């Protein structure tokens, strides 16, 4: 089966799964089909799915990963011992775990093809990730508190695990409580990685973007918190600060705590 055939098979399955999609036609263009498949995966609620679907999906996503390329930690240059700054798509980064900036529902972003990291991680991991997250939330019985962390498998991502943390949402003035909560996100992820013996992890820019935490202060807190934790646990964990935008890279490069 070719990638095109896999993609069409997956789209048809997801369209047939929901009666409201009756009459929706399959696009002919490759990019249009990719967008439709991602949209359908984004919209799909957490629910079991057939092994046949998963077999096709997993091969498709791994082929897509090969097309997009994998960034390996061993090929990155540290800015300080145990500390890296890398600009790129976190879903292609091969480390022990990547950190997802989740929302309190913890089951991903349901907006089709949205540009947030939560959407990208769930898209390229596959539909299994949403189901696992939903299981965690059913067991917990309440929304995920701000500043904590949970761990899941990574499925079709090149990392081994995903750490999910809910950062503070800033409406209006940034407060000390917002800053405390953001620092707690980083510490919670580091402690969970230590508990699970995960040797390397990559942090996205937690709480910036859709959660409106000022990027400059968020980066300062990220660096301060991680370096303080590493000082208490020397040599235990390699940490990657992952940025996507040029503006965020510039912020990290200018911080006095990182010398490029």
């Amino acid at each position: 089966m070719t990638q095109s055939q896999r993609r069409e098979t997956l789209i048809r399955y997801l369209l047939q799964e929901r009666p409201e999609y009756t009459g929706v036609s399959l696009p002919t263009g490759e990019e249009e089909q990719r967008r439709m498949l991602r949209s359908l995966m984004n919209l799909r609620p957490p629910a079991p799915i057939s092994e046949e679907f998963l077999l096709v999906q997993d091969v498709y996503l791994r082929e897509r990963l090969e097309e997009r390329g994998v960034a390996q930690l061993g090929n990155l240059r540290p800015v300080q011992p145990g500390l890296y700054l890398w600009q790129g798509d976190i879903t292609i980064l091969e480390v022990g775990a990547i950190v997802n900036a989740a929302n309190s529902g913890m089951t991903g972003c349901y907006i089709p093809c949205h540009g947030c990291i939560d959407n990208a991680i769930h898209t390229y991991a596959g539909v299994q990730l949403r189901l696992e997250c939903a299981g965690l939330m059913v067991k917990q019985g309440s929304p995920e508190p701000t500043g904590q962390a949970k761990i899941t498998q990574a499925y079709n991502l090149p990392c081994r695990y995903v750490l999910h943390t809910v950062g503070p949402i800033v409406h209006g003035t940034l407060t000390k409580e917002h800053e405390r909560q953001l620092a707690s996100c980083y510490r919670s992820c580091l402690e969970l990685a230590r508990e699970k013996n995960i040797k390397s992890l990559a942090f996205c820019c937690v709480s910036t973007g859709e959660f409106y935490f000022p990027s400059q202060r968020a980066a300062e807190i990220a660096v301060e918190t991680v370096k303080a934790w590493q000082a208490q646990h020397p040599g235990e964990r390699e940490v990657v600060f992952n940025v996507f935008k040029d503006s965020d890279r510039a912020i990290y490069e200018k911080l006095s705590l990182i010398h490029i």
Side-chain angles (χ1 to χ4, degrees):
M1 189 180 288
T2 65
Q3 274 294 80
S4 178
Q5 290 169 331
R6 293 185 191 102
R7 186 170 55 248
E8 292 179 7
T9 297
L10 297 173
I11 291 172
R12 288 194 177 98
Y13 185 101
L14 294 173
L15 287 175
Q16 292 170 3
E17 196 179 39
R18 304 278 293 275
E20 61 265 37
Y21 297 149
T22 300
V24 176
S25 58
L26 183 74
T28 56
E30 180 177 340
E31 188 57 36
E32 290 80 5
Q33 287 186 1
R34 284 180 177 173
R35 286 187 61 82
M36 175 173 275
L37 177 57
R38 179 168 182 166
S39 297
L40 291 169
M41 292 172 70
N42 295 159
L43 288 165
R44 187 180 188 273
I49 201 164
S50 73
E51 286 297 322
E52 290 79 8
F53 178 92
L54 293 178
L55 285 171
V56 176
Q57 175 210 247
D58 291 354
V59 174
Y60 176 79
L61 290 175
R62 288 167 188 167
E63 288 285 335
R64 286 286 292 127
L65 177 61
E66 187 174 335
E67 293 168 12
R68 296 186 302 132
V70 175
Q72 298 178 326
L73 181 63
N75 293 331
L76 306 185
R77 181 173 62 88
V79 293
Q80 287 186 16
L83 202 61
Y84 300 79
L85 174 61
W86 181 73
Q87 183 176 14
D89 181 350
I90 201 170
T91 66
I92 68 168
L93 192 54
E94 188 176 26
V95 289
I98 61 173
V99 174
N100 178 29
N103 58 55
S104 61
M106 287 286 288
T107 57
C109 171
Y110 288 78
I111 302 172
C113 299
H114 192 251
C116 70
I117 195 166
D118 198 11
N119 187 293
I121 287 173
H122 276 267
T123 294
Y124 291 109
V127 298
Q128 303 99 309
L129 180 57
R130 178 166 285 173
L131 186 58
E132 183 179 356
C133 287
L136 291 175
M137 297 312 290
V138 169
K139 184 177 180 180
Q140 179 166 290
S142 61
E144 179 71 0
T146 300
Q148 297 185 13
K150 281 191 166 50
I151 187 170
T152 64
Q153 299 294 317
Y155 300 99
N156 295 290
L157 297 167
C159 57
R160 291 188 62 194
Y161 300 99
V162 180
L163 306 183
H164 307 261
T165 190
V166 180
I169 302 173
V170 179
H171 292 303
T173 304
L174 181 69
T175 67
K176 291 296 183 183
E177 178 62 11
H178 291 138
E179 294 182 344
R180 184 198 67 77
Q181 290 174 330
L182 184 60
S184 179
C185 288
Y186 284 90
R187 281 193 298 269
S188 295
C189 289
L190 287 162
E191 289 297 333
L192 185 53
R194 188 169 191 252
E195 176 187 331
K196 300 298 183 180
N197 199 30
I198 298 168
K199 297 299 185 182
S200 60
L201 68 160
F203 284 102
C204 63
C205 299
V206 179
S207 268
T208 60
E210 296 297 317
F211 281 14
Y212 306 109
F213 202 109
S215 296
Q216 176 71 38
R217 185 62 186 130
E220 292 168 356
I221 292 169
V223 173
E224 290 166 4
T225 305
V226 168
K227 285 182 68 66
W229 192 93
Q230 287 183 324
Q232 293 175 347
H233 307 278
E236 285 193 13
R237 300 290 174 272
E238 293 186 292
V239 172
V240 180
F241 291 114
N242 165 243
V243 298
F244 191 72
K245 298 186 294 186
D246 291 342
S247 57
D248 286 324
R249 181 181 182 92
I251 289 171
Y252 275 90
E253 287 180 341
K254 290 178 180 177
L255 285 176
S256 60
L257 293 175
I258 292 184
H259 304 288
I260 304 296

